[in-house]
Amino acid sequence: MPLTRSLRALLLFVCVLVLVDTMFFTALTPLLPHYTHVAHLSKSGAGILVAGYPLGTLVGALPGGLLTGHLGYRRTVLLGLALMGASTLVFGWASTAAVLDCARFVQGLGGACTWAGGMAWLATEAPPERRGEMIGTAMGAAVGGALFGPVVGAIAAEIGTGPAFASAALAAGALMALAFAVPAPRQAVPQGLREAFTAVGDHQLRFGLWLTVLAGLAFGVLDVLAPLRMAHLGVTALVIAGTFLASAGVEAALSPVAGRVADRRGAIIPIRCSLTGAVAISLLAPTLASAWVLIPALIVGMPSFGTLFTPAMTLVSEGAQHRRLDQGLAFALGNLAWAAGQAVAAGGGGTLAQATSDLVPYSLLAAACLVTLGFTWNQGYLRLNSRPAKSPDVRH
């Protein structure tokens, strides 16, 4: 059944919404060496800066999910855009660690609201037979934002962070106007934290959340240690940006493949493939001594973590529908899981690496992936091999 014009407009709006959010989130990666110099950051200080956004998302995840029920999806999105635009503008002109960390934290608060409101808006308006496809399209747009984020960072390194990040305020303003040009969301029925935490008892939802935590842990480590190691090996900000850009391109190509495999053969197959690659790159990243060997290894290996998101979100969505949990709160739980992993790893990974060596946090990450891979062979997880039955269409 073809999508109506209004649904196509809503899909396009949500795609641009998450693209802009992830673009300015990942723009920091090639700029990390710049900020360590300008703000006199240690390796642990750089980790705290990277962790600021996921910490904001961690704090704002559940409130953002609750706001979708009380304010509605559109108003929650507008709040998130206002926070994102203002904080990114401040971040661009800041040069002290405290201001940078605070601006990054507020960016994360805004992201929690835009993701919970935007994705729930899309999920509740989508036809049941096209819901997964439309959510997958939006997730693909988020990967596109991750593709262009390092490019924005590289441009900022050339023209200055202030002018480059001022564009975030312009983008936020344009999206706030566009929010009134798409169909109004249906009335949401408020749910509380009791419903959210009760839903975590669902096996599929719980495992999907853990995979989201694991992917967050991985990118928390990689986003801090990988660019700093490449800079130590003499790689420029432009090449660092190109490395993450190419890696995101590989991930964008593999994510739909992972989704199709999950639909046809069960989510556990792409999960096992991703975890196997994740163990390998976790052990290679801190040990490769040549930049020109490390760069292709990161391009090929980092998507192992990113491709976990597709089957993870599939499991979370199926579990939420089974427990009749509002999609806003379901995406809030996903935000919470991702942010917890990213914040702990970005802050703790940098500090641990400074106290010991890069090999220690990478080895802990490899161990977590290996243990998770082992659990997928447990009899209790084998039912994920089967394609989940369609849940009834639950609209709140």
Side-chain angles (χ1 to χ4, degrees), residues 213-300:
V213 170
L214 189 59
L217 287 169
F219 285 111
V221 171
L222 287 163
D223 287 349
V224 175
L225 300 184
L228 293 179
R229 177 153 179 81
M230 285 191 282
H232 177 72
L233 295 174
V235 177
T236 65
L238 188 61
V239 177
I240 294 173
T243 300
F244 279 80
L245 176 66
S247 175
V250 174
E251 180 185 334
L254 289 178
S255 291
V257 176
R260 285 194 294 270
V261 173
D263 285 340
R264 296 172 183 175
R265 303 190 61 186
I268 209 71
I269 303 298
I271 289 171
R272 286 173 179 163
C273 292
S274 294
L275 289 172
T276 301
V279 172
I281 191 59
S282 298
L283 297 176
L284 288 174
T287 55
L288 295 175
S290 168
W292 304 113
V293 178
L294 175 61
I295 288 171
L298 290 173
I299 290 172
V300 173

Side-chain angles (χ1 to χ4, degrees), residues 140-177:
V143 175
L147 272 168
F148 288 104
V151 176
V152 173
I155 293 171
E158 297 296 323
I159 70 172
T161 56
F165 287 138
S167 61
L170 296 176
L175 284 168
M176 291 173 78

